Amino acid sequence: EFDYKATSAVSSSDTEQQQQTPTLFFGEMVFPWFADEDFAEVSGVGMKSLAHALANRDDWESLYDKDHMRQVLDDGRSRVACAVYYDDLYVDFNACSKVTARGGPLEKAKVWITNEYQHSGLRDAGGSMFSKLYGMATGSVRVPS
């Protein structure tokens, strides 16, 4: 599980803590320190208070309902195929692997592991991506998963 508070608390002056903390990319996240450093110019429009309010929330619900995902795929009518980018800057490959592995909620998914695109497959080649994924889901495109 990702610990937002622990990650956002890493100090740029604490080199020992930095060495023990893995480098993670946060392309779609906001951290409280953004308002003090990288985006200080928007602090006056409420970014700092918003970032701190989000960081201090502790009532976040689970993003995905694992049991419901299994239930939907077990009904025999639903199919799923997905592209997983090995070096994706926004989605952790190991997290995807856990979700699609045996025993994971999406173990029945047909998985296309690729670096042909970098989190941008639908934008860069939407038609061919959709055709491949649809073919994987329906069985007309074979995959090793």
Side-chain angles (χ1 to χ4, degrees):
E1 289 291 317
F2 179 76
D3 186 345
Y4 180 92
K5 287 185 180 181
T7 303
S8 64
V10 174
S11 167
S12 59
S13 63
D14 188 345
T15 55
E16 183 178 332
Q17 185 179 14
Q18 283 184 346
Q19 290 172 349
Q20 295 174 1
T21 304
T23 300
L24 300 173
F25 294 97
F26 306 103
E28 298 170 351
M29 296 183 184
V30 175
F31 292 95
W33 50 266
F34 280 11
D36 296 325
E37 297 174 14
D38 296 334
F39 302 101
E41 66 274 7
V42 295
S43 292
V45 295
M47 182 177 172
K48 187 171 189 168
S49 60
L50 173 62
H52 282 279
L54 290 172
N56 289 315
R57 266 189 78 172
D58 59 5
D59 62 343
W60 295 102
E61 294 182 21
S62 178
L63 186 57
Y64 302 104
D65 183 339
K66 296 174 186 176
D67 294 329
H68 183 68
M69 288 193 292
R70 281 190 187 95
Q71 178 185 2
V72 167
L73 294 177
D74 284 343
D75 74 4
R77 297 178 296 145
S78 301
R79 301 175 188 160
V80 64
C82 57
V84 174
Y85 304 106
Y86 189 77
D87 290 316
D88 196 315
L89 288 175
Y90 301 102
V91 181
D92 181 64
F93 178 79
N94 292 325
C96 292
S97 297
K98 288 177 186 175
V99 172
T100 58
R102 288 196 179 170
L106 292 178
E107 69 178 320
K108 293 184 179 180
K110 299 296 182 186
V111 181
W112 174 29
I113 298 174
T114 182
N115 262 351
E116 190 171 341
Y117 305 100
Q118 292 296 300
H119 195 82
S120 60
L122 290 177
R123 180 179 54 244
D124 294 343
S128 62
M129 286 285 298
F130 179 80
S131 293
K132 181 168 183 111
L133 294 171
Y134 182 78
M136 289 167 56
T138 59
S140 64
V141 173
R142 295 194 55 161
V143 292
S145 64

